[in-house]
Amino acid sequence: MHFAQSCFRAIAELGKDAMVIFPQRAAVDLKPLEAVGRVCVYDDRRGISNGFTAARSIASHLEAFSPDSIWFTDETITSAAARAACDDPVIFIHDVRPHLVKMSVKSRLRFLCLLMDRRRAIARASRVVVMSNTARDDLLTQYGDRFYDRVSVLRLGATAPNCSALVPPELDEAFDGGFFLFFGAIEKYKNVEGLVRAFSSLLTERPFARLIIAGRGAIEEKTLRIIKQHHRSIVLLNRYISDGELAYLMMGARATLLPYLEATQSGVLPISYSFGKPVVTSDAPGLSEFVVDGVTGFVVKDEVGLAAAMDKLLDDDLVRRMGEAGRAYAKHELDFTGNVAKIISDINGES
């Protein structure tokens, strides 16, 4: 939702008339957006048949607005149905390949359906947008170089909401002195298990270090036991994190940690830079291309390297220098409005 809002605001900042369409139950404050452009909603009751009903509702909004360009910023059953009725849509692909997660049978069928539709959508699209150079290379490898002239890269800028900070109720004063932060949905490919092992090894030499893991998802029982063992040093917020809580966590973090096993991009990384925080990431190409190793953060190969990077970032001066470098990098490389302007130029054949 943050990504869609950021695209909407950026297009409006560029002087374009814009309309955004959200699911009715979306966790979005629509009032501020109404000052930017036209805001519409559709009934988002679950189920495939309801998805097609929603698509018809979306089509009616589009017909009334008569846009020059229609952007589908996610891949869902509803979006697939809606874009099938559009001529020359612009489609956004956040993850070219499936992540290393255990899917239910229902989820697998749904995913396979979306992948089959994706191939058709790419063939019909006026422009395909991905979030990193790594993702572009993966897309062309998987779907063919014949789409090369229609693929654009929108390097993600910060999509964090502007709101007041809110302290998560689970935290106490032990975390006031700064902490390492993992934020986001907890999934197998994000390697929270490896992070906890690395941090617990750090605690043997640095018992004052602190870690917060914030996000909803399943964690292995063995890892939960380690977290419980170090409950004074590790806090697990295994739930939805509000925008206000995210702002608080980012402001209080020493650095954010992305120990992913694989990735083509991450929205957490530019948010971290926008808050002036260094980033420690694995050497997954879709992440490491956004980190200047030793300048804006650290790129690590394994748990030993992750623990060593956290150890270095217990130095306040280094945290400050890297945070400032990250802000500067984001200003030049990850300016959301400027990068959206490049996408519009690509769509209009101006670049």
Side-chain angles (χ1 to χ4, degrees), residues 65-348:
F65 190 65
S66 189
D68 296 319
S69 180
I70 304 171
W71 295 17
F72 290 91
T73 58
D74 65 6
E75 290 185 283
T76 64
I77 295 294
T78 298
S79 294
R83 73 190 179 196
C86 297
D87 294 326
D88 303 322
V90 177
I91 63 173
F92 288 69
I93 297 177
H94 295 262
D95 296 301
V96 175
R97 293 176 294 183
H99 290 304
L100 301 175
V101 295
K102 294 179 180 179
M103 295 183 178
S104 65
V105 173
K106 183 178 179 180
S107 296
R108 287 179 182 276
L109 290 174
R110 178 178 173 275
F111 186 78
L112 287 172
C113 178
L114 288 172
L115 279 184
M116 290 173 59
D117 184 79
R118 176 193 283 180
R119 187 176 292 275
R120 291 191 292 267
I122 290 174
R124 296 179 58 250
S126 62
R127 181 66 44 179
V128 180
V129 184
V130 292
M131 310 302 151
S132 67
N133 295 319
T134 300
R136 178 188 58 196
D137 294 342
D138 287 348
L139 184 81
L140 295 173
T141 297
Q142 187 157 337
Y143 294 99
D145 287 340
R146 64 187 181 281
F147 299 117
Y148 180 85
D149 293 336
R150 284 189 279 144
V151 179
S152 296
V153 176
L154 172 60
R155 302 189 88 203
L156 284 177
T159 59
N162 183 16
C163 62
S164 299
L166 179 65
V167 183
E170 297 94 334
L171 299 187
D172 58 32
E173 64 276 2
F175 287 78
D176 291 346
F179 45 82
F180 294 105
L181 175 65
F182 173 96
F183 168 74
I186 298 173
E187 299 179 85
K188 188 69 174 176
Y189 78 93
K190 293 186 179 179
N191 194 27
V192 169
E193 290 78 12
L195 167 59
V196 170
R197 287 193 297 268
F199 186 76
S200 63
S201 71
L202 175 68
L203 287 174
T204 60
E205 298 292 333
R206 303 283 198 165
F208 54 86
R210 298 291 182 267
L211 169 66
I212 295 176
I213 300 169
R216 183 186 295 155
I219 300 179
E220 292 178 356
E221 193 62 37
K222 182 178 180 180
T223 302
L224 289 174
R225 286 197 297 270
I226 297 174
I227 293 172
K228 186 175 182 180
Q229 177 186 346
H230 298 295
H231 65 278
R232 295 186 182 276
S233 302
I234 306 175
V235 168
L236 172 62
L237 308 178
N238 197 342
R239 57 175 176 78
Y240 170 77
I241 306 299
S242 71
D243 290 345
E245 289 175 319
L246 172 57
Y248 175 85
L249 293 171
M250 283 291 175
M251 287 189 292
R254 305 189 69 83
T256 55
L257 310 174
L258 287 77
Y260 299 6
L261 299 174
E262 62 172 13
T264 52
Q265 46 79 27
S266 170
V268 176
L269 195 152
I271 293 174
S272 301
Y273 285 158
S274 74
F275 278 90
K277 304 301 177 180
V279 175
V280 180
T281 178
S282 71
D283 57 358
L287 298 177
S288 59
E289 73 172 77
F290 294 93
V291 176
V292 183
D293 189 30
V295 179
T296 66
F298 293 107
V299 177
V300 301
K301 293 185 177 182
D302 52 29
E303 292 173 23
V304 173
L306 178 56
M310 288 187 284
D311 187 39
K312 291 176 183 176
L313 286 166
L314 290 170
D315 181 331
D316 292 342
D317 289 337
L318 179 62
V319 167
R320 178 184 51 78
R321 291 197 304 272
M322 284 190 159
E324 291 173 355
R327 270 204 178 104
Y329 176 90
K331 182 177 179 180
H332 289 95
E333 299 291 334
L334 305 178
D335 174 61
F336 205 97
T337 300
N339 290 345
V340 166
K342 293 174 185 176
I343 299 300
I344 294 174
S345 294
D346 288 349
I347 292 169
N348 295 332

Side-chain angles (χ1 to χ4, degrees), residues 44-61:
D44 59 333
R45 284 174 289 182
R46 296 187 181 280
I48 292 178
S49 61
N50 289 327
F52 285 101
T53 301
R56 287 194 291 271
S57 175
I58 292 169
S60 67
H61 289 306

